[in-house]
PDB file of all heavy atoms in Angstrom:
ATOM      1  N   GLU A   1     -52.098  33.145  22.885  1.00 98.00           N
ATOM      2  CA  GLU A   1     -52.029  32.090  21.870  1.00 98.00           C
ATOM      3  C   GLU A   1     -50.994  31.058  22.265  1.00 98.00           C
ATOM      4  O   GLU A   1     -51.153  29.825  22.076  1.00 98.00           O
ATOM      5  CB  GLU A   1     -51.666  32.669  20.522  1.00 98.00           C
ATOM      6  CG  GLU A   1     -52.691  33.628  19.913  1.00 98.00           C
ATOM      7  CD  GLU A   1     -53.972  32.951  19.486  1.00 98.00           C
ATOM      8  OE1 GLU A   1     -53.995  31.727  19.360  1.00 98.00           O
ATOM      9  OE2 GLU A   1     -54.979  33.689  19.290  1.00 98.00           O
ATOM     10  N   LYS A   2     -49.914  31.529  22.894  1.00 98.00           N
ATOM     11  CA  LYS A   2     -48.873  30.598  23.416  1.00 98.00           C
ATOM     12  C   LYS A   2     -49.447  29.665  24.437  1.00 98.00           C
ATOM     13  O   LYS A   2     -49.135  28.465  24.463  1.00 98.00           O
ATOM     14  CB  LYS A   2     -47.703  31.423  23.974  1.00 98.00           C
ATOM     15  CG  LYS A   2     -46.514  30.590  24.482  1.00 98.00           C
ATOM     16  CD  LYS A   2     -46.638  30.178  25.942  1.00 98.00           C
ATOM     17  CE  LYS A   2     -46.795  31.357  26.881  1.00 98.00           C
ATOM     18  NZ  LYS A   2     -46.943  30.901  28.287  1.00 98.00           N
ATOM     19  N   ASP A   3     -50.293  30.186  25.305  1.00 98.00           N
ATOM     20  CA  ASP A   3     -50.913  29.336  26.336  1.00 98.00           C
ATOM     21  C   ASP A   3     -51.714  28.227  25.719  1.00 98.00           C
ATOM     22  O   ASP A   3     -51.791  27.122  26.279  1.00 98.00           O
ATOM     23  CB  ASP A   3     -51.830  30.199  27.237  1.00 98.00           C
ATOM     24  CG  ASP A   3     -51.048  31.089  28.188  1.00 98.00           C
ATOM     25  OD1 ASP A   3     -49.842  30.908  28.325  1.00 98.00           O
ATOM     26  OD2 ASP A   3     -51.665  32.009  28.748  1.00 98.00           O
ATOM     27  N   LYS A   4     -52.343  28.461  24.586  1.00 98.00           N
ATOM     28  CA  LYS A   4     -53.170  27.444  23.933  1.00 98.00           C
ATOM     29  C   LYS A   4     -52.317  26.219  23.528  1.00 98.00           C
ATOM     30  O   LYS A   4     -52.833  25.094  23.528  1.00 98.00           O
ATOM     31  CB  LYS A   4     -53.887  28.026  22.716  1.00 98.00           C
ATOM     32  CG  LYS A   4     -54.916  29.086  23.006  1.00 98.00           C
ATOM     33  CD  LYS A   4     -55.513  29.615  21.712  1.00 98.00           C
ATOM     34  CE  LYS A   4     -56.467  30.749  21.957  1.00 98.00           C
ATOM     35  NZ  LYS A   4     -56.993  31.296  20.682  1.00 98.00           N
ATOM     36  N   CYS A   5     -51.105  26.496  23.118  1.00 98.00           N
ATOM     37  CA  CYS A   5     -50.276  25.383  22.589  1.00 98.00           C
ATOM     38  C   CYS A   5     -49.094  25.042  23.508  1.00 98.00           C
ATOM     39  O   CYS A   5     -48.179  24.334  23.081  1.00 98.00           O
ATOM     40  CB  CYS A   5     -49.757  25.743  21.184  1.00 98.00           C
ATOM     41  SG  CYS A   5     -48.603  27.148  21.156  1.00 98.00           S
ATOM     42  N   ALA A   6     -49.156  25.492  24.748  1.00 98.00           N
ATOM     43  CA  ALA A   6     -47.995  25.302  25.659  1.00 98.00           C
ATOM     44  C   ALA A   6     -47.664  23.839  25.805  1.00 98.00           C
ATOM     45  O   ALA A   6     -46.452  23.485  25.930  1.00 98.00           O
ATOM     46  CB  ALA A   6     -48.321  25.932  27.021  1.00 98.00           C
ATOM     47  N   HIS A   7     -48.658  22.976  25.786  1.00 98.00           N
ATOM     48  CA  HIS A   7     -48.418  21.531  25.980  1.00 98.00           C
ATOM     49  C   HIS A   7     -47.657  20.911  24.792  1.00 98.00           C
ATOM     50  O   HIS A   7     -47.172  19.800  24.906  1.00 98.00           O
ATOM     51  CB  HIS A   7     -49.740  20.810  26.163  1.00 98.00           C
ATOM     52  CG  HIS A   7     -50.667  20.927  25.020  1.00 98.00           C
ATOM     53  ND1 HIS A   7     -51.296  22.110  24.650  1.00 98.00           N
ATOM     54  CD2 HIS A   7     -51.106  19.982  24.106  1.00 98.00           C
ATOM     55  CE1 HIS A   7     -52.060  21.902  23.589  1.00 98.00           C
ATOM     56  NE2 HIS A   7     -51.988  20.644  23.215  1.00 98.00           N
ATOM     57  N   LEU A   8     -47.538  21.642  23.711  1.00 98.00           N
ATOM     58  CA  LEU A   8     -46.882  21.113  22.509  1.00 98.00           C
ATOM     59  C   LEU A   8     -45.467  21.688  22.349  1.00 98.00           C
ATOM     60  O   LEU A   8     -44.740  21.267  21.428  1.00 98.00           O
ATOM     61  CB  LEU A   8     -47.678  21.462  21.263  1.00 98.00           C
ATOM     62  CG  LEU A   8     -49.092  20.871  21.186  1.00 98.00           C
ATOM     63  CD1 LEU A   8     -49.863  21.496  20.045  1.00 98.00           C
ATOM     64  CD2 LEU A   8     -49.037  19.364  21.066  1.00 98.00           C
ATOM     65  N   LEU A   9     -45.068  22.600  23.210  1.00 98.00           N
ATOM     66  CA  LEU A   9     -43.789  23.311  23.032  1.00 98.00           C
ATOM     67  C   LEU A   9     -42.621  22.539  23.650  1.00 98.00           C
ATOM     68  O   LEU A   9     -42.778  21.931  24.736  1.00 98.00           O
ATOM     69  CB  LEU A   9     -43.873  24.713  23.631  1.00 98.00           C
ATOM     70  CG  LEU A   9     -44.925  25.635  23.033  1.00 98.00           C
ATOM     71  CD1 LEU A   9     -44.965  26.938  23.793  1.00 98.00           C
ATOM     72  CD2 LEU A   9     -44.636  25.887  21.546  1.00 98.00           C
ATOM     73  N   PHE A  10     -41.504  22.597  23.019  1.00 98.00           N
ATOM     74  CA  PHE A  10     -40.263  21.991  23.546  1.00 98.00           C
ATOM     75  C   PHE A  10     -39.698  22.834  24.662  1.00 98.00           C
ATOM     76  O   PHE A  10     -39.234  22.343  25.689  1.00 98.00           O
ATOM     77  CB  PHE A  10     -39.260  21.817  22.422  1.00 98.00           C
ATOM     78  CG  PHE A  10     -37.931  21.323  22.875  1.00 98.00           C
ATOM     79  CD1 PHE A  10     -37.742  20.015  23.274  1.00 98.00           C
ATOM     80  CD2 PHE A  10     -36.824  22.172  22.932  1.00 98.00           C
ATOM     81  CE1 PHE A  10     -36.512  19.535  23.701  1.00 98.00           C
ATOM     82  CE2 PHE A  10     -35.572  21.719  23.348  1.00 98.00           C
ATOM     83  CZ  PHE A  10     -35.422  20.393  23.750  1.00 98.00           C
ATOM     84  N   ASP A  11     -39.680  24.174  24.461  1.00 97.00           N
ATOM     85  CA  ASP A  11     -39.111  25.101  25.433  1.00 97.00           C
ATOM     86  C   ASP A  11     -40.041  26.301  25.573  1.00 97.00           C
ATOM     87  O   ASP A  11     -39.884  27.311  24.882  1.00 97.00           O
ATOM     88  CB  ASP A  11     -37.702  25.525  25.015  1.00 97.00           C
ATOM     89  CG  ASP A  11     -36.956  26.317  26.081  1.00 97.00           C
ATOM     90  OD1 ASP A  11     -37.625  26.864  27.001  1.00 97.00           O
ATOM     91  OD2 ASP A  11     -35.709  26.378  26.004  1.00 97.00           O
ATOM     92  N   GLU A  12     -41.015  26.184  26.458  1.00 97.00           N
ATOM     93  CA  GLU A  12     -42.020  27.247  26.595  1.00 97.00           C
ATOM     94  C   GLU A  12     -41.384  28.556  27.017  1.00 97.00           C
ATOM     95  O   GLU A  12     -41.818  29.631  26.545  1.00 97.00           O
ATOM     96  CB  GLU A  12     -43.084  26.844  27.620  1.00 97.00           C
ATOM     97  CG  GLU A  12     -44.233  27.846  27.721  1.00 97.00           C
ATOM     98  CD  GLU A  12     -45.270  27.466  28.723  1.00 97.00           C
ATOM     99  OE1 GLU A  12     -45.148  26.355  29.309  1.00 97.00           O
ATOM    100  OE2 GLU A  12     -46.226  28.249  28.919  1.00 97.00           O
ATOM    101  N   LYS A  13     -40.397  28.551  27.887  1.00 96.00           N
ATOM    102  CA  LYS A  13     -39.770  29.788  28.321  1.00 96.00           C
ATOM    103  C   LYS A  13     -39.106  30.504  27.158  1.00 96.00           C
ATOM    104  O   LYS A  13     -39.214  31.737  27.035  1.00 96.00           O
ATOM    105  CB  LYS A  13     -38.753  29.514  29.436  1.00 96.00           C
ATOM    106  CG  LYS A  13     -38.117  30.778  29.988  1.00 96.00           C
ATOM    107  CD  LYS A  13     -37.217  30.489  31.201  1.00 96.00           C
ATOM    108  CE  LYS A  13     -36.682  31.758  31.785  1.00 96.00           C
ATOM    109  NZ  LYS A  13     -35.849  31.518  32.985  1.00 96.00           N
ATOM    110  N   ALA A  14     -38.420  29.753  26.327  1.00 97.00           N
ATOM    111  CA  ALA A  14     -37.769  30.352  25.165  1.00 97.00           C
ATOM    112  C   ALA A  14     -38.778  30.984  24.215  1.00 97.00           C
ATOM    113  O   ALA A  14     -38.595  32.075  23.668  1.00 97.00           O
ATOM    114  CB  ALA A  14     -36.888  29.342  24.434  1.00 97.00           C
ATOM    115  N   VAL A  15     -39.863  30.270  24.007  1.00 98.00           N
ATOM    116  CA  VAL A  15     -40.942  30.775  23.131  1.00 98.00           C
ATOM    117  C   VAL A  15     -41.522  32.052  23.702  1.00 98.00           C
ATOM    118  O   VAL A  15     -41.710  33.052  23.003  1.00 98.00           O
ATOM    119  CB  VAL A  15     -42.046  29.719  22.932  1.00 98.00           C
ATOM    120  CG1 VAL A  15     -43.276  30.326  22.301  1.00 98.00           C
ATOM    121  CG2 VAL A  15     -41.520  28.560  22.086  1.00 98.00           C
ATOM    122  N   GLU A  16     -41.770  32.061  25.001  1.00 98.00           N
ATOM    123  CA  GLU A  16     -42.375  33.261  25.621  1.00 98.00           C
ATOM    124  C   GLU A  16     -41.426  34.455  25.537  1.00 98.00           C
ATOM    125  O   GLU A  16     -41.833  35.577  25.232  1.00 98.00           O
ATOM    126  CB  GLU A  16     -42.753  32.974  27.074  1.00 98.00           C
ATOM    127  CG  GLU A  16     -43.515  34.152  27.672  1.00 98.00           C
ATOM    128  CD  GLU A  16     -44.244  33.791  28.974  1.00 98.00           C
ATOM    129  OE1 GLU A  16     -44.444  32.588  29.239  1.00 98.00           O
ATOM    130  OE2 GLU A  16     -44.597  34.700  29.703  1.00 98.00           O
ATOM    131  N   LEU A  17     -40.141  34.218  25.805  1.00 97.00           N
ATOM    132  CA  LEU A  17     -39.189  35.329  25.703  1.00 97.00           C
ATOM    133  C   LEU A  17     -39.107  35.841  24.278  1.00 97.00           C
ATOM    134  O   LEU A  17     -38.990  37.049  24.049  1.00 97.00           O
ATOM    135  CB  LEU A  17     -37.820  34.863  26.171  1.00 97.00           C
ATOM    136  CG  LEU A  17     -37.541  34.955  27.682  1.00 97.00           C
ATOM    137  CD1 LEU A  17     -36.262  34.241  28.042  1.00 97.00           C
ATOM    138  CD2 LEU A  17     -37.526  36.401  28.131  1.00 97.00           C
ATOM    139  N   ALA A  18     -39.111  34.940  23.332  1.00 98.00           N
ATOM    140  CA  ALA A  18     -39.078  35.335  21.928  1.00 98.00           C
ATOM    141  C   ALA A  18     -40.270  36.187  21.554  1.00 98.00           C
ATOM    142  O   ALA A  18     -40.144  37.201  20.832  1.00 98.00           O
ATOM    143  CB  ALA A  18     -38.969  34.136  20.996  1.00 98.00           C
ATOM    144  N   LEU A  19     -41.442  35.807  22.052  1.00 98.00           N
ATOM    145  CA  LEU A  19     -42.646  36.587  21.801  1.00 98.00           C
ATOM    146  C   LEU A  19     -42.560  37.970  22.435  1.00 98.00           C
ATOM    147  O   LEU A  19     -42.970  38.966  21.839  1.00 98.00           O
ATOM    148  CB  LEU A  19     -43.882  35.828  22.276  1.00 98.00           C
ATOM    149  CG  LEU A  19     -44.186  34.531  21.540  1.00 98.00           C
ATOM    150  CD1 LEU A  19     -45.312  33.761  22.223  1.00 98.00           C
ATOM    151  CD2 LEU A  19     -44.574  34.814  20.061  1.00 98.00           C
ATOM    152  N   TRP A  20     -42.039  38.047  23.621  1.00 98.00           N
ATOM    153  CA  TRP A  20     -41.884  39.318  24.294  1.00 98.00           C
ATOM    154  C   TRP A  20     -41.012  40.266  23.482  1.00 98.00           C
ATOM    155  O   TRP A  20     -41.296  41.461  23.402  1.00 98.00           O
ATOM    156  CB  TRP A  20     -41.235  39.118  25.674  1.00 98.00           C
ATOM    157  CG  TRP A  20     -42.218  38.950  26.770  1.00 98.00           C
ATOM    158  CD1 TRP A  20     -42.547  37.789  27.429  1.00 98.00           C
ATOM    159  CD2 TRP A  20     -43.002  39.974  27.393  1.00 98.00           C
ATOM    160  NE1 TRP A  20     -43.496  38.019  28.390  1.00 98.00           N
ATOM    161  CE2 TRP A  20     -43.808  39.357  28.414  1.00 98.00           C
ATOM    162  CE3 TRP A  20     -43.147  41.353  27.194  1.00 98.00           C
ATOM    163  CZ2 TRP A  20     -44.691  40.062  29.201  1.00 98.00           C
ATOM    164  CZ3 TRP A  20     -44.029  42.046  27.982  1.00 98.00           C
ATOM    165  CH2 TRP A  20     -44.788  41.422  28.989  1.00 98.00           C
ATOM    166  N   TYR A  21     -39.957  39.748  22.890  1.00 98.00           N
ATOM    167  CA  TYR A  21     -38.954  40.606  22.245  1.00 98.00           C
ATOM    168  C   TYR A  21     -39.071  40.702  20.724  1.00 98.00           C
ATOM    169  O   TYR A  21     -38.367  41.483  20.132  1.00 98.00           O
ATOM    170  CB  TYR A  21     -37.548  40.133  22.644  1.00 98.00           C
ATOM    171  CG  TYR A  21     -37.106  40.656  23.982  1.00 98.00           C
ATOM    172  CD1 TYR A  21     -37.342  39.931  25.151  1.00 98.00           C
ATOM    173  CD2 TYR A  21     -36.463  41.872  24.109  1.00 98.00           C
ATOM    174  CE1 TYR A  21     -36.966  40.383  26.390  1.00 98.00           C
ATOM    175  CE2 TYR A  21     -36.061  42.330  25.334  1.00 98.00           C
ATOM    176  CZ  TYR A  21     -36.294  41.628  26.484  1.00 98.00           C
ATOM    177  OH  TYR A  21     -35.913  42.071  27.721  1.00 98.00           O
ATOM    178  N   HIS A  22     -39.949  39.934  20.105  1.00 97.00           N
ATOM    179  CA  HIS A  22     -39.874  39.827  18.640  1.00 97.00           C
ATOM    180  C   HIS A  22     -40.210  41.132  17.922  1.00 97.00           C
ATOM    181  O   HIS A  22     -39.771  41.356  16.805  1.00 97.00           O
ATOM    182  CB  HIS A  22     -40.747  38.690  18.109  1.00 97.00           C
ATOM    183  CG  HIS A  22     -42.201  38.967  18.052  1.00 97.00           C
ATOM    184  ND1 HIS A  22     -43.029  39.011  19.142  1.00 97.00           N
ATOM    185  CD2 HIS A  22     -42.998  39.219  16.981  1.00 97.00           C
ATOM    186  CE1 HIS A  22     -44.241  39.284  18.761  1.00 97.00           C
ATOM    187  NE2 HIS A  22     -44.270  39.428  17.438  1.00 97.00           N
ATOM    188  N   ASP A  23     -40.980  42.004  18.583  1.00 97.00           N
ATOM    189  CA  ASP A  23     -41.296  43.333  18.005  1.00 97.00           C
ATOM    190  C   ASP A  23     -40.791  44.456  18.886  1.00 97.00           C
ATOM    191  O   ASP A  23     -41.296  45.574  18.815  1.00 97.00           O
ATOM    192  CB  ASP A  23     -42.802  43.484  17.828  1.00 97.00           C
ATOM    193  CG  ASP A  23     -43.322  42.707  16.580  1.00 97.00           C
ATOM    194  OD1 ASP A  23     -42.560  42.591  15.611  1.00 97.00           O
ATOM    195  OD2 ASP A  23     -44.469  42.257  16.640  1.00 97.00           O
ATOM    196  N   ALA A  24     -39.806  44.168  19.720  1.00 97.00           N
ATOM    197  CA  ALA A  24     -39.284  45.193  20.636  1.00 97.00           C
ATOM    198  C   ALA A  24     -38.812  46.414  19.914  1.00 97.00           C
ATOM    199  O   ALA A  24     -39.002  47.544  20.332  1.00 97.00           O
ATOM    200  CB  ALA A  24     -38.193  44.616  21.518  1.00 97.00           C
ATOM    201  N   VAL A  25     -38.190  46.183  18.773  1.00 97.00           N
ATOM    202  CA  VAL A  25     -37.803  47.301  17.908  1.00 97.00           C
ATOM    203  C   VAL A  25     -38.746  47.260  16.676  1.00 97.00           C
ATOM    204  O   VAL A  25     -38.787  46.223  15.988  1.00 97.00           O
ATOM    205  CB  VAL A  25     -36.348  47.192  17.430  1.00 97.00           C
ATOM    206  CG1 VAL A  25     -35.984  48.301  16.446  1.00 97.00           C
ATOM    207  CG2 VAL A  25     -35.406  47.233  18.641  1.00 97.00           C
ATOM    208  N   TYR A  26     -39.470  48.313  16.453  1.00 95.00           N
ATOM    209  CA  TYR A  26     -40.385  48.337  15.303  1.00 95.00           C
ATOM    210  C   TYR A  26     -40.374  49.713  14.702  1.00 95.00           C
ATOM    211  O   TYR A  26     -41.021  50.659  15.189  1.00 95.00           O
ATOM    212  CB  TYR A  26     -41.801  47.959  15.710  1.00 95.00           C
ATOM    213  CG  TYR A  26     -42.693  47.770  14.510  1.00 95.00           C
ATOM    214  CD1 TYR A  26     -42.617  46.642  13.717  1.00 95.00           C
ATOM    215  CD2 TYR A  26     -43.612  48.781  14.150  1.00 95.00           C
ATOM    216  CE1 TYR A  26     -43.422  46.482  12.614  1.00 95.00           C
ATOM    217  CE2 TYR A  26     -44.421  48.640  13.045  1.00 95.00           C
ATOM    218  CZ  TYR A  26     -44.313  47.500  12.262  1.00 95.00           C
ATOM    219  OH  TYR A  26     -45.101  47.355  11.151  1.00 95.00           O
ATOM    220  N   ASP A  27     -39.597  49.861  13.615  1.00 91.00           N
ATOM    221  CA  ASP A  27     -39.552  51.099  12.846  1.00 91.00           C
ATOM    222  C   ASP A  27     -40.005  50.747  11.423  1.00 91.00           C
ATOM    223  O   ASP A  27     -40.108  49.596  11.060  1.00 91.00           O
ATOM    224  CB  ASP A  27     -38.137  51.657  12.851  1.00 91.00           C
ATOM    225  CG  ASP A  27     -37.662  52.015  14.244  1.00 91.00           C
ATOM    226  OD1 ASP A  27     -38.443  52.624  14.966  1.00 91.00           O
ATOM    227  OD2 ASP A  27     -36.516  51.669  14.599  1.00 91.00           O
ATOM    228  N   LEU A  28     -40.247  51.774  10.632  1.00 83.00           N
ATOM    229  CA  LEU A  28     -40.756  51.543   9.270  1.00 83.00           C
ATOM    230  C   LEU A  28     -39.628  51.061   8.351  1.00 83.00           C
ATOM    231  O   LEU A  28     -39.898  50.631   7.250  1.00 83.00           O
ATOM    232  CB  LEU A  28     -41.373  52.808   8.721  1.00 83.00           C
ATOM    233  CG  LEU A  28     -42.633  53.273   9.438  1.00 83.00           C
ATOM    234  CD1 LEU A  28     -43.324  54.381   8.644  1.00 83.00           C
ATOM    235  CD2 LEU A  28     -43.617  52.140   9.685  1.00 83.00           C
TER     236      LEU A  28
END
């Protein structure tokens, strides 16, 4: 999904890193 909107992003690297880590910890 990030690839679809990459041309609209201010900082694609930051967005990708955030996506990688946003659910890194997932407990109930």
Side-chain angles (χ1 to χ4, degrees):
E1 297 291 344
K2 183 271 302 179
D3 287 346
K4 294 178 184 178
C5 65
H7 61 292
L8 299 170
L9 300 175
F10 175 73
D11 189 339
E12 184 180 358
K13 183 174 184 178
V15 168
E16 186 164 343
L17 275 170
L19 293 172
W20 268 105
Y21 278 90
H22 79 284
D23 284 328
V25 177
Y26 188 77
D27 299 315
L28 296 191

